[in-house]
Amino acid sequence: MPDAGTSIHAWRIDNRDYQRQTERRGRRFAYTSLDPARTALVVIDMVPFFLDANPYARGIVPNIQHLADRMRSAGGTVAWVLPARTERTEVGDEFHGPEAAEMFRNAGGTGPLPDRLWHGLTPGTDDLLVKKSAPSAFFPGRCPLPELLREREVNTVLITGTVTNVCCESSARDAWTLGYRVIMVADANATGRDQDHNATLRTVYRSFGDVRSTADVHALIGGG
């Protein structure tokens, strides 16, 4: 259960969407099993900049840590993705406004990458820690993650982190485009409102990957 000052989204997929996919492929979920050795838990932007202001992002910390521990014990990969400090651009200043653009440019913090993570998360010694300079961790040339996963022969990615409808959704879409089996973990992603969270879950489920609960993913990792 989340601690005081945290929340968990009331997430849902409509029955009509489940029915639509079941009619198309003969089953509710595309991916009914996974090989932990070829699976990566991808954790997006779990840094103080986002978690300090968002009780939903703080609420998913236990689920992410439990998934990370389970993935490591099963021989899988855990990848922590943090925002890189990017160059200032005219477009960024124009779109966000100069002050907000500068704030976002520094969202990832400074110092060693493990120290930039939210204090409730503990990376393992063999985990990947990388920076991305775009919303997506899978956009070509903006993050080393795809190359590192290719070296480990990963074919399935579990998308977790914050915020659901920006960097997490962008990563899910681009991972699908690159040929990965994508599973978005519904109660290990967070944004500011249930309706925004659920809109992304519906989009991903209909077009880019599965949407499963933390409990479901634990069962898949364990072969259940």
Side-chain angles (χ1 to χ4, degrees):
M1 295 295 292
D3 297 328
T6 68
S7 299
I8 292 288
H9 285 295
W11 72 273
R12 67 190 300 269
I13 299 290
D14 288 342
N15 285 331
R16 64 180 180 179
D17 291 316
Y18 283 138
Q19 183 64 29
R20 175 177 181 264
Q21 295 294 54
T22 301
E23 290 174 354
R24 283 184 168 184
R25 63 191 175 211
R27 58 192 184 279
R28 174 172 288 193
F29 298 111
Y31 312 123
T32 57
S33 65
L34 58 81
D35 177 359
R38 301 195 67 192
T39 301
L41 174 70
V42 179
V43 186
I44 305 289
D45 291 351
M46 293 294 284
V47 295
F49 177 86
F50 293 107
L51 275 72
D52 279 337
N54 188 345
Y56 289 109
R58 296 193 297 274
I60 63 175
V61 168
N63 284 346
I64 289 176
Q65 189 63 58
H66 293 157
L67 285 169
D69 294 341
R70 186 69 176 275
M71 183 59 64
R72 287 190 210 100
S73 67
T77 295
V78 180
W80 307 90
V81 183
L82 289 76
R85 192 174 192 277
T86 56
E87 295 296 324
R88 184 175 181 177
T89 67
E90 291 183 7
V91 171
D93 285 355
E94 183 179 19
F95 182 79
H96 293 293
E99 291 186 7
E102 186 65 16
M103 177 181 66
F104 285 121
R105 288 180 61 234
N106 292 285
T110 59
L113 294 184
D115 295 344
R116 301 188 198 183
L117 284 171
W118 181 251
H119 57 76
L121 296 166
T122 305
T125 55
D126 293 327
D127 291 357
L128 301 175
L129 286 105
V130 297
K131 296 184 291 184
K132 62 178 176 63
S133 59
S136 169
F138 292 88
F139 192 90
R142 293 299 193 96
C143 182
L145 183 62
E147 289 77 13
L148 294 171
L149 296 185
R150 191 174 302 115
E151 291 173 2
R152 298 187 180 202
E153 299 185 344
V154 167
N155 68 359
T156 303
V157 292
L158 311 173
I159 302 295
T160 66
T162 193
V163 297
T164 311
N165 53 321
V166 184
C167 293
C168 298
E169 181 175 346
S170 296
S171 296
R173 287 170 175 257
D174 286 346
W176 160 261
T177 300
L178 292 178
Y180 290 94
R181 303 161 84 232
V182 174
I183 301 174
M184 179 164 271
V185 188
D187 53 355
N189 282 268
T191 188
R193 305 186 305 172
D194 286 347
Q195 55 263 51
D196 298 330
H197 183 75
N198 288 330
T200 285
L201 298 187
R202 182 173 187 265
T203 295
V204 170
Y205 180 72
R206 286 171 63 93
S207 300
F208 300 105
D210 276 338
V211 174
R212 305 295 290 262
S213 68
T214 296
D216 286 349
V217 173
H218 275 290
L220 288 172
I221 294 171

